[in-house]
Amino acid sequence: MGNRGAHNPLNRVCFELFCAVNLVVSAFCSLLIRLFDLLIILSAKNRTPDPCHHYQRAYTTRYRAKKRVVYYFWVTSLLCMLIVPTVGFVTTAGLFTTFISFSYLDEGDEVS
């Protein structure tokens, strides 16, 4: 009596249908991920510095120097956060540092 559904043909059909759907979905997801990776790789192959381009500006010497300054600014801010470990100060300093970082790295002054 405790083994009622073990030999039910409907259970077998449902299991096989589930396996088939799982196989199709996993194949589709794998294909989608490979296509996305291919598009990302093809778009990021060009590493020539161009201050007017949206991602190639990251390869310019000026932008790298700016990123270095932002790095030191974050390190200084984090050290201040460790010195004054209150919630208000850490939140305010984190938001302020984020704002200053984005403002400093803004591409507005890169284009001439």
Side-chain angles (χ1 to χ4, degrees):
M1 274 297 241
N3 205 3
R4 286 193 313 205
H7 299 292
N8 190 351
L10 186 59
N11 286 345
R12 181 73 178 161
V13 170
C14 288
F15 178 73
E16 289 178 3
L17 182 63
F18 174 76
C19 289
V21 169
N22 189 16
L23 182 67
V24 169
V25 168
S26 65
F28 177 73
C29 289
S30 176
L31 180 66
L32 194 62
I33 289 171
R34 286 179 188 259
L35 180 64
F36 184 70
D37 286 343
L38 180 66
L39 289 175
I40 294 296
I41 288 171
L42 288 177
S43 67
K45 270 189 176 178
N46 189 2
R47 292 182 181 251
T48 58
D50 182 14
C52 298
H53 199 266
H54 66 280
Y55 75 86
Q56 291 175 352
R57 68 183 170 92
Y59 303 119
T60 61
T61 307
R62 184 173 181 187
Y63 191 80
R64 287 183 187 170
K66 282 184 165 188
K67 281 191 346 185
R68 195 173 322 119
V69 169
V70 167
Y71 172 78
Y72 290 129
F73 189 67
W74 269 102
V75 168
T76 305
S77 176
L78 289 173
L79 287 175
C80 290
M81 289 180 201
L82 287 174
I83 291 171
V84 185
T86 61
V87 174
F89 180 77
V90 169
T91 304
T92 305
L95 290 173
F96 179 72
T97 307
T98 302
F99 170 73
I100 294 298
S101 299
F102 283 133
S103 297
Y104 188 67
L105 288 175
D106 188 23
E107 62 188 82
D109 64 341
E110 292 283 333
V111 180
S112 54

